[in-house]
Amino acid sequence: MNYNEYYAKSIVNPGEFWKEEATAIEWYNKPEITLSEDDNGYPLWYKDGELNLCYLALDKHIEDGHGDQVAFIYDSPVTQTIRKYTFSEAKTEVAKLAGGMQSLGMKKGDTAIIYMPMIPQAAFAMLACARIGVIHSVVFGGFAPHELAIRIDDCKPRMIITASSGIEVDKLITYKPLVDEAIELASHRPKKVIVFNRKLGARIPFKKYDVDYDAVVYGSRETPCIPLNATHPLYILYTSGTTGKPKGVVRDTGGYAVALKFSMQKIYNIKEGAVFWAASDVGWVVGHSFIVYGPLINRNSTVIFEGKPIKTPDASTFWRIIEKHKVNAMFTAPTAIRAIRKEDPNGDFIKQYDLSSLKTQFLAGERCDLATLAWYNQHIPIPAIDHWWQTESGWPMIANMLGVETLPIKPGSVGKAVCGYDIKIFDEEGNEAQANQQGYVVVKLPLPPGTLLDLWKDNSRFNSGYLEQYPGYYFSGDGGYKDDDDYIYITGRVDDVINVAGHRLSTAEMEEVVASHQSIAECAVIGINDALRGQIPLALVVTKLNDGIEHFQLEYEITHVIRQQIGAVASLRNVVIVNRLPKTRSGKILRKLMRSIADGEEFQIPSTIDDETIIDEIKAVLIKYEIGTFNKNNTLNK
Ligand code: COA
Ligand code: AMP
């Protein structure tokens, strides 16, 4: 069946389509009901099915005789370690950890936060939770204690699993004190904190709630997988929204398992037994779906990479790993390729490695500029496939479904709608846009299996954030258009979410932090184009009358408070003082206008602006500080 036929089948009769796909995984109880609705009329998949994702990821392969196949390849240039775990070894450790967690009082339906660097124990912790029905919430290690505390108070974990430390290039990041600080800041108190001691010399302050990871594993018996209902939440993953408060995306178990198996085979076209590498972090959705659950369910060896594309030790790291572990397909964010290209423009490192195992390069997480794509293909002539999805979907929504039919690649496009996603481009009024006309990217309900079930304990935000804009459709928050051949192009977010080096962050949240500084009367944080990171935040601030604070002092203090409250990963480095912000006559700050000025894009002066002369004022400040398009070094992208 070709792509068009297969896709049409999934849209015309989703129930039948996903009933068939569900047979690709093993269930304790096969679902009789494929598609139904919850009390609010929202689609539910496989509601009477029973399964366990840890079983599908580990135990099943051992039962099928693949216990000696490598499940995890841990490659850590920052600690100069390579360690492999077979499916049998991984299962033993996970089953003991799960047994230990049960002895510590954890049971089905409890929540646990995992705050760890990129080490196999992070994946073991996720799988141990899945084994016993504990709902995990992995928090990206780059977030500061304040962010961790917000998540602790929202999902109220009974347990936190962490490590003594992580290494960021050459800096030791002491995770345990950060966890202690977050617990101090939060109102909710977890009962236990399991600490994996990496023995890298970090201080591990002892608290009464601490338990040693090794002691838990070695002192426990293996516990079996618990059959779980398909709609049992596997995890909560917080992601940035348009307010200061992150959104806890809830993922189900059954739909997700089917969707991931489907993705590995029909989108990524990865055979069982192959080596798959997603160079991301377990703290992001890519890590959940394509470092941990997807490849393992598909019996692939998955690479856990603790390093960066550059600086660990140089821009050859990706190529070394591909050669050494014979990686068959890899997934990364365009930022990583841009970083490599900047360090190694002629691809000299690439020539030193045998990359013949690598058949496909997948890119996602942010817009991929044409220059980066062209550079990649010039040096590595394999298909570089851009594709689009979100934390909310959990798996690709628009792609080139290589396991069905390889469609011609159109540079700049993220491909065509994936089976199950009836993607439309809507104008403001909810009418379908013409070909090549920009609009909002929406998806007709029902969303396919594996997509978000709800927002954790916040169904009203779920409805208002995704379902109320266009009744009957999921609102993605992205803008885009379709061309005459139904290829889709993503033009960027239409809200306050920005993408910094593939990390999704909220400018509204940054604004709240900046506004809390005692010298600030008013501020706006906007995302502007950056040659390396795709986007970076820029704070435009108006100081209080007669405050007299120097620019460099204010910039230092604001940068510091953002690192402290949100985390270094926010990469807010530019703060400019302006006399006033552009506003409409009704007082609304014109952020889009400032973005266009900074990015050097053509713009129309909004008819609602209160005073046009401010445009030149803003431009003058950006020129003075050489920001955005006025920064001569910001050219890699062009
Ligand atoms: N724990 C603690 N701190 C972290 C962190 C983590 N897991 N991840 C990032 N940080 C810190 C970094 O140490 C850095 O701190 P600094 O300002 O004190 O140096 C800051 O956050 C910014 O990090 P990053 O954006 O990673 O910048 P970098 O200069 O270290 O590296 C790139 C630049 C482009 C190489 C890097 O951003 C990169 O590899 N990007 C690709 C990201 C990616 O794959 N995303 C996938 C999402 S699908
Ligand atoms: P996240 O939820 O962190 O995965 O971020 C999802 C957002 O990243 C999307 O809403 C898009 O704005 C952006 N994004 C992801 N993939 C792409 C892509 N291939 N091209 C352009 N933007 C992308």
Side-chain angles (χ1 to χ4, degrees), residues 424-444:
K424 311 261 186 226
I425 309 293
F426 274 2
D427 67 13
E428 207 72 50
E429 281 75 44
N431 302 314
E432 210 170 337
Q434 307 282 315
N436 302 306
Q437 184 193 340
Q438 280 194 34
Y440 300 109
V441 182
V442 301
V443 192
K444 193 167 189 290

Side-chain angles (χ1 to χ4, degrees), residues 239 285 364-367 386-392 414 478 490 493 499 504:
T239 189
V285 69
E366 52 172 336
R367 193 182 76 85
D386 193 359
H387 63 315
W388 176 84
W389 52 296
Q390 309 176 298
T391 305
E392 288 84 347
V414 288
D478 277 34
I490 299 294
R493 295 288 305 190
N499 225 301
R504 175 167 160 183

Side-chain angles (χ1 to χ4, degrees), residues 272-532:
E272 290 167 352
V275 181
F276 190 77
W277 177 23
S280 179
D281 189 286
V282 285
W284 305 116
V285 69
V286 177
H288 284 64
S289 298
F290 298 117
I291 294 177
V292 182
Y293 292 112
L296 295 177
I297 290 174
N298 199 44
R299 192 168 55 77
N300 297 126
S301 307
T302 182
V303 180
I304 302 222
F305 170 56
E306 189 183 26
K308 300 255 173 179
I310 53 171
K311 299 189 279 194
T312 60
D314 56 31
S316 73
T317 300
F318 272 22
W319 322 129
R320 173 187 66 76
I321 290 180
I322 292 166
E323 179 187 274
K324 176 143 194 78
H325 306 302
K326 302 197 168 35
V327 173
N328 300 119
M330 99 167 274
F331 179 143
T332 193
T335 298
I337 307 295
R338 284 196 293 269
I340 293 171
R341 175 179 159 221
K342 195 167 170 220
E343 301 281 307
D344 183 22
N346 300 321
D348 293 331
F349 281 130
I350 299 174
K351 295 176 198 122
Q352 295 169 25
Y353 292 89
D354 173 6
L355 305 183
S356 55
S357 64
L358 190 69
K359 302 294 177 231
T360 331
Q361 174 71 57
F362 295 96
L363 298 166
E366 52 172 336
R367 193 182 76 85
C368 183
D369 54 283
L370 296 181
T372 300
L373 203 61
W375 180 87
Y376 187 93
N377 276 139
Q378 179 193 343
H379 296 286
I380 308 178
I382 59 167
I385 309 282
D386 193 359
H387 63 315
W388 176 84
W389 52 296
Q390 309 176 298
T391 305
E392 288 84 347
S393 68
W395 60 287
M397 301 163 94
I398 306 176
N400 197 326
M401 298 191 65
L402 301 186
V404 178
E405 179 190 355
T406 304
L407 299 174
I409 296 171
K410 288 199 188 187
S413 165
V414 288
K416 291 198 179 194
V418 164
C419 291
Y421 291 100
D422 190 357
I423 307 233
K424 311 261 186 226
I425 309 293
F426 274 2
D427 67 13
E428 207 72 50
E429 281 75 44
N431 302 314
E432 210 170 337
Q434 307 282 315
N436 302 306
Q437 184 193 340
Q438 280 194 34
Y440 300 109
V441 182
V442 301
V443 192
K444 193 167 189 290
L445 298 179
L447 293 179
T451 49
L452 79 173
L453 205 58
D454 202 346
L455 291 183
W456 184 249
K457 306 231 186 283
D458 202 351
N459 186 257
S460 88
R461 193 175 179 194
F462 172 66
N463 285 318
S464 64
Y466 302 110
L467 304 179
E468 282 171 6
Q469 291 78 353
Y470 300 108
Y473 293 83
Y474 164 83
F475 180 72
S476 73
D478 277 34
Y481 62 94
K482 282 186 190 177
D483 71 7
D484 298 315
D485 303 320
D486 279 338
Y487 278 69
I488 301 165
Y489 298 73
I490 299 294
T491 48
R493 295 288 305 190
V494 295
D495 55 16
D496 296 334
V497 169
I498 58 171
N499 225 301
V500 181
H503 308 315
R504 175 167 160 183
L505 300 163
S506 157
T507 52
E509 188 170 12
M510 291 187 219
E511 252 174 41
E512 277 181 22
V513 177
V514 176
S516 67
H517 188 281
Q518 70 276 6
S519 296
I520 302 300
E522 204 176 15
C523 70
V525 177
I526 55 171
I528 60 169
N529 290 341
D530 180 72
L532 176 64

